[in-house]
């Protein structure tokens, strides 16, 4: 016959599981669900597609010190001008040149061509990013 051993209650606690009220469990669960939804929303807003997207259209190396680059800009608000930063990179991965490009208002989609001067031969050209916050020196020039 197998008997159950009695453990000292002072050392291990009693076997009676005391649980709090059931509503506490549901309240804590609700707080975690709401926190998860807030984190998901913030991630979606910050990591989702921005108001301006770009796509490379063409590029050609003119010489060891310059590259011609064309790209298409798509904006959610065509009435606003945009500022795009284009950068050229050399074969070793270094940034060989960069340029800010003014994209005037008008048209939800627009193709822009630019010439980027480089410190060494470029092997890739890319749009680093675009913004509706156009600095005054680009608007006037």
């Amino acid at each position: 016959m197998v008997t159950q051993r009695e453990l000292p209650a002072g050392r291990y606690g009693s076997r009676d599981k005391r649980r709090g009220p059931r509503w506490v469990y549901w309240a804590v669960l609700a707080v975690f669900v709401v926190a998860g939804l807030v984190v998901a929303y913030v991630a979606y807003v910050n990591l989702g597609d921005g108001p301006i997207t770009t796509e490379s259209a063409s590029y050609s190396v003119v010489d060891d010190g310059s590259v011609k680059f064309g790209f298409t800009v798509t904006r959610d608000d065509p009435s606003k001008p945009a500022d795009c930063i284009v950068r050229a990179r050399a074969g070793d991965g270094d940034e060989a040149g960069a340029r800010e490009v003014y994209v005037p208002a008008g048209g939800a989609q627009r193709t822009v061509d630019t010439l980027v001067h480089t410190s060494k031969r470029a092997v890739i050209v890319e749009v680093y990013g675009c913004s509706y916050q156009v600095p005054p020196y680009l608007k006037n020039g």
Side-chain angles (χ1 to χ4, degrees):
M1 173 185 240
V2 176
T3 61
Q4 187 170 357
R5 248 174 77 181
E6 214 36 57
L7 299 175
R11 186 173 197 180
Y12 299 103
S14 69
R15 288 185 177 252
D16 295 336
K17 300 262 184 188
R18 298 197 75 189
R19 297 177 90 182
R22 197 85 168 134
W23 67 268
V24 172
Y25 169 77
W26 290 109
V28 170
L29 181 64
V31 168
F32 279 113
V33 168
V34 169
L37 290 173
V38 168
V39 168
Y41 175 75
V42 169
Y44 173 75
V45 168
N46 291 327
L47 301 176
D49 283 342
I52 304 172
T53 58
T54 61
E55 186 176 332
S56 299
S58 65
Y59 96 97
S60 62
V61 176
V62 176
D63 55 27
D64 285 346
S66 58
V67 62
K68 193 174 183 179
F69 180 60
F71 60 100
T72 303
V73 178
T74 305
R75 296 176 279 198
D76 66 350
D77 187 356
S79 66
K80 294 180 182 177
D83 171 27
C84 293
I85 299 173
V86 175
R87 70 178 185 173
R89 296 171 64 189
D92 59 3
D94 287 346
E95 184 175 288
R99 178 180 182 151
E100 283 186 276
V101 180
Y102 177 73
V103 181
Q109 198 171 52
R110 167 172 275 189
T111 300
V112 180
D113 293 312
T114 188
L115 183 68
V116 180
H117 296 284
T118 60
S119 59
K120 47 186 158 180
R121 188 172 186 85
V123 296
I124 188 170
V125 185
E126 61 191 356
V127 179
Y128 184 73
C130 293
S131 171
Y132 284 127
Q133 297 174 351
V134 180
Y137 61 84
L138 276 181
K139 292 179 187 176
N140 299 330

